[in-house]
């Protein structure tokens, strides 16, 4: 076989590659002012991903990619895709469970991201995978993907939620390096029998399930409930990145517009809303910028609109110490927005979802192409949000203005094959 | 390796073949008269099967077949079998989780059935897999299989349910084609601590879990509960099929006799019944007939008592458009039966389980041997049954006589390797 | 490929071996005096293990071992380990989910144990796998392993439980055979927010989940609840084994000292205890000894501190009848201990956890190296314990002194690849 971590077998128009990935995380998230009565902050260790995968071709241009995630004691899914991609054709078509093309950090495989988790708007906007159908065109220096999607992979009941998505990327080699310019758009409709969205974001790690920012009320253990009654939303995204030798930078911004359901609005028969109704449609914004440098001289891998595997110059098996990359990022999310009126979590007409800024620093050590150890520190600085009152109960500031910080450390060991 | 979708490795008396299967279904089931207050009818998309499998031999005539189904977010099982089958022997022995030999449509791999689901009596009789042990004898033109079975694969508590099953098939090449004559018998006993059976059938698709026919009362969302108190049942089955070039037909009938537990009957200590007790033993009947034709000239695959993979004559990889098969079927199930007395769902002495007739039409397009797209339309015509009162509340007919129809469309994309 | 049950592929510093294991158990556990109102005794059949595994190397001395257990309808885990083990080095380092080096019977793969389950102290002490990091040194005739461990593999909440463990084994070839001398030590701390331990043991089979001995009160269905409030415990273990041709013996003893939380003891903020508080720290003891003989002349496999696969001399594929081994064991566990004071399950100052002695006999038939059929009989003799009152309600003896026996039969069919 050929080897890409695991073996790849080829013959007679068929191919098959078994694979997998293990990510163990151990981390610490501080409890601000020790104010939240939860055992869900502090130390925690767990397996973040435990993937088993099978990829291959059958004759005629058809391919499959099955990626199961067995972490968490349950059956989870990453890409589960059937595709038609004839040799030498720039067109491709896909059916399956996939990411609706929603940004550079999310399209990049989790093995190759700069930090242990993707940028916070991917978490906040619920930019997860959906089942659907998509077509793509990939030229030498640009690509465009568009798709129509239903909901989760395993909904046995009626499934009326849907979305469209389109993303284009221009990725010339220019200015002495690799450039990346991308834009994306999503139009999403919620399930008609339960129209609502909860936008919330973790503090840059999954070693806790507490969120400090989110568009719903929190109980005293930090858990955020329900959300906004909404028939859907739209997301506009922009991407910019560049790689010059050992240096790279990347930045993305996304703007989300909610189609809120108004108080008193009458829904057609068979329809219902969940969460709080709002007088005006809110919109939310998030942006991040990162810069990274390979101390050992590697060049960050990139391929067709995504970051990809980096080839380590002096790996263990050749007597070296592997590759070391230092990455820094600032990641800002704003879920606080004027909506008018009053209600739960509305302060002087402002929906107090909170603002979260992450100051992130990661050291990625790759002993070989297939093994990674990450040490990451995040300072999450929160202003307002549903936990601000519990964390800072004596302040005389508006709840939307109270600020506090959380320290986060995450260690990761990763091997993929 | 040799290739059968996935690779097959052989050597030193060992063999190993990894494999898998993906089936995505998208469908629509109409809500009759919009009468059922459920979001479980209408549009739905989901992954019907997401199989990962491993098959192989170890020296000495022992083989294994492990087929896990990860659709639905849970661990599911298809065949999980250890077998002893010496080379050149017509005898074989099996231990494991398997189908108790209950009919042509159920023994045929789900990849190769004419429609997206097997005939409705397989669903109605709960003809699922069980753990057990079986022996078989396979000659050139006939076979016989018999087994003794316990219950589910993962029962941690006492497991007193059991059944025996036997099936014989005669499959000569004669009259210019391939013929198939089969018969089967099952004797089943329920768990002594919960003696009861619910017989019910879906409307020819799994994109809904609503059933319009079933031997228990329904709530207003279409869900059927409990069932018949029964110590067990017997099932008699007959099979007939034939293949002549691009044409095939198949027909099966099964007759089920319930050993009902009677009102007032005293069970031994440690035994208990569930569901409704009946004055007389009911029996139920179901039959289907189908006819299919390959517009592109293929001959439907068949092997040793089952339909099998069809070799496509002009697949994509040879510049053709693949194979196209048109199949039609009428499928009838009768769960309405005189039992005497009164009770829940008993109308003038008749247990109102309902009759369901399916008029089914499917177009199967196979671009290659391993990829299938199915477009299927079903008209389910229901008479009586537990939802008849809710669907047709103003009729003056007996509940057992009220009729209505449901339209069902199912699209499937399938790849196996 | 090379073949070790399944195929092993090697090349360019990479390797990959897919594998799996199926164990079907069918068994019977008698209900003592028919006194327990449960359907969890009696006959039961289920799949004990349904493992899928992937093992391999990536260049640089890194290896992975993923072992998933899909029995029981859920995702279960055996070893999930990333290791660094350079060629020709006696040192190794591991990160992952692994057994904390707690004794010969538990470190031996379940495929190769003498009986269907490991000795009862492994069950009683909750000697399961944990995530953590470990280092090892393996010389020609001895090894030592030590590790630091967190808790379960998939805890999403704070995870403050931890333990250290160390084990050394000396395994010279001497006295005409293979000798084994081992010792282990574990220091364990419970989760600070729920400090408690339940020590309990099954009757030598997993075909039931009823326990007759355990350090908590039982309800009338045999289920034992809560346990002892404890901040942690320590376990001291000793191992002795020897193999001479077809004969082997093995014996292990473990002594567990509980750090009980005392009545009235004030815990720091954020800490809490579960289960019953005790006036004095109890300690528990268990020991077993076994002797086995291969009637067909094989020598039991052994490798570096563990029993290993036995090479069958006349397997099926060479025209023989396989190998037959007869094993007998006596296994004693004492969970009854003076703790002073009064309370639930405390009889005259004695905590009535019960004593269980197993008289075990197993016949292991291996038709080939990869297929095993076991027929095992156990007589479990219980004195005291939380079910003694229900089983023997009329006795005038103290609850700690009432004795009864349970008969257990387990059949197993196993294949691994």
């Amino acid at each position: 076989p050929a080897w890409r971590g695991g073996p790849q077998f080829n013959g007679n128009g068929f191919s098959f590659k078994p694979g997998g990935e293990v990510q163990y995380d151990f981390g610490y998230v501080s409890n601000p002012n020790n104010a939240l009565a939860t055992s869900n902050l502090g130390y925690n260790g767990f397996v973040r991903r435990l993937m088993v995968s099978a990829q291959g071709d059958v004759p005629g241009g058809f391919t499959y990619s099955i990626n199961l995630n067995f972490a968490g004691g349950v059956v989870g899914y990453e890409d589960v895709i059937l595709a038609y991609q004839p040799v030498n054709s720039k067109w491709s078509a896909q059916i399956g469970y996939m990411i609706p093309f929603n940004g550079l950090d999310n399209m990049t495989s989790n093995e190759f991201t700069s930090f242990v988790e993707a940028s916070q708007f991917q978490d906040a906007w619920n930019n997860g995978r959906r089942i659907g159908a998509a077509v793509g065109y990939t030229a030498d220096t640009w690509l465009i993907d568009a798709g129509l999607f239903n909901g989760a992979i395993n909904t046995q009941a009626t499934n009326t939620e849907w979305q469209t998505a389109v993303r284009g990327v221009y990725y010339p080699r220019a200015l002495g390096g690799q450039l990346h310019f991308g834009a994306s758009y999503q139009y999403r409709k919620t399930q008609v029998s339960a129209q609502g969205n909860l936008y919330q974001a973790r503090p840059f790690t999954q070693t806790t399930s507490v969120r400090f920012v989110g568009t719903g009320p929190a109980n005293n253990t930090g858990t955020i409930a329900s959300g906004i009654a909404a028939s859907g939303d739209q997301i506009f995204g922009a991407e910019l990145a560049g790689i010059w030798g050992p240096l790279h930078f990347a930045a993305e911004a996304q703007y989300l517009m909610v189609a809120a359901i108004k108080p008193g609005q009458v829904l057609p028969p068979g329809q219902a809303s969940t969460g709080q109704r709002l007088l005006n449609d809110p919109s939310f914004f998030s942006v991040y910028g990162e810069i990274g440098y390979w101390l050992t001289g590697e060049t960050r891998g990139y391929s067709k609109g995504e970051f990809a595997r980096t080839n380590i110059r002096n790996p263990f098996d050749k007597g070296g110490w592997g590759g070391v990359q230092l990455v820094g990022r600032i990641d800002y999310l704003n879920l606080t927005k004027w909506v008018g009126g009053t209600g739960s979590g509305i302060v002087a007409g402002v929906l107090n979802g909170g603002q979260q800024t992450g100051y992130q620093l990661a050291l990625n050590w790759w002993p070989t192409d297939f093994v990674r150890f990450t040490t990451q520190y995040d300072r999450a600085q929160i202003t307002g949000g549903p936990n601000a009152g519990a964390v800072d109960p004596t302040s005389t500031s508006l709840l939307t203005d109270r600020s506090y910080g959380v320290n986060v450390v995450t260690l990761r060991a990763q091997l993929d094959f």
Side-chain angles (χ1 to χ4, degrees), chain A residues 255-273:
Chain A
Y255 184 72
L256 182 144
M257 295 165 63
V258 182
I261 295 175
K262 306 303 179 308
Q265 185 176 334
V266 177
L267 297 175
Q271 298 201 7
S273 69

Side-chain angles (χ1 to χ4, degrees), chain A residues 109-397:
Chain A
S109 167
N110 63 67
E111 302 156 15
F112 310 134
T113 51
S114 296
F115 297 90
V116 295
E117 302 298 336
S119 57
Q120 61 181 330
F121 65 71
Q122 303 290 5
D123 187 12
W125 304 166
N126 304 304
N127 269 343
R129 285 176 179 80
R130 292 174 169 229
I131 58 169
V135 294
Y137 185 91
T138 304
D140 286 346
T141 60
W142 59 276
L143 64 80
I144 188 161
D145 287 303
L148 179 61
F149 300 91
N150 200 178
I153 194 172
N154 57 359
T155 307
Q156 283 276 0
T158 299
N159 202 353
T160 52
E161 66 178 327
W162 62 274
Q163 80 161 89
T164 59
V166 59
R167 176 179 179 246
V169 186
Y170 174 53
Y171 42 85
R173 293 201 60 84
L175 302 178
Q178 172 70 57
L179 302 186
H180 172 108
F181 305 89
S184 64
Y185 172 70
Q186 299 181 69
Y187 179 85
R188 313 193 296 190
K189 297 293 279 183
T190 49
Q191 184 82 8
V192 296
S193 56
Q195 298 176 51
N197 280 325
L198 170 57
Y199 304 102
Q200 58 177 354
R202 282 191 170 86
F204 311 101
T205 186
Q206 291 218 6
T207 59
T208 182
S209 57
V210 169
R211 281 85 165 181
F212 298 106
V213 292
T215 61
N219 61 26
N220 72 338
T221 65
T223 302
I224 298 175
S226 57
I228 299 172
S231 63
D233 54 25
Q234 298 176 73
I235 305 173
F236 301 85
E239 313 166 19
L240 185 64
I243 306 171
W244 291 271
L247 181 76
H248 88 275
F249 83 89
E252 287 187 83
Q254 290 202 355
Y255 184 72
L256 182 144
M257 295 165 63
V258 182
I261 295 175
K262 306 303 179 308
Q265 185 176 334
V266 177
L267 297 175
Q271 298 201 7
S273 69
T274 66
Q276 183 168 226
R277 295 181 169 212
L278 301 177
L279 269 178
N280 292 280
D281 290 346
S283 56
F284 304 120
F285 178 70
S286 184
V287 61
Y288 77 86
E290 77 176 39
I291 188 160
Y293 190 80
W294 283 92
L295 306 180
T296 42
E298 282 79 3
T299 298
R300 189 173 185 185
Y302 179 91
S303 175
K304 297 187 167 87
E306 305 173 14
F307 289 114
R309 193 181 301 278
T310 298
N311 294 314
I312 302 303
R313 296 174 67 186
N314 290 296
F316 265 36
D317 50 306
K318 294 184 178 150
W321 281 101
V324 177
Q325 182 198 33
L326 200 60
V327 199
R329 176 187 280 191
I330 297 179
D331 188 343
Y332 171 74
L333 169 68
N334 189 354
L335 296 174
T336 296
K337 191 76 180 188
W338 183 85
V339 292
T342 57
S344 164
I346 295 179
V347 178
V350 172
L351 180 69
N352 181 26
Q355 302 172 59
Q356 180 169 263
T357 305
Y359 301 92
Q360 304 183 261
L361 196 63
L363 184 77
N364 295 310
W365 175 39
W366 292 79
T368 83
D369 288 12
F370 301 96
V371 178
R372 168 184 178 171
F373 296 98
T374 292
T375 303
Q376 178 175 328
Y377 168 75
D378 309 285
R379 171 70 181 185
Q381 200 64 36
I382 296 106
T383 301
N387 285 308
V391 171
D392 190 1
T394 59
S395 168
T396 56
S397 303

Side-chain angles (χ1 to χ4, degrees), chain A residues 30-37 391:
Chain A
S30 67
N31 191 330
N33 295 341
N34 249 331
L36 301 178
V391 171

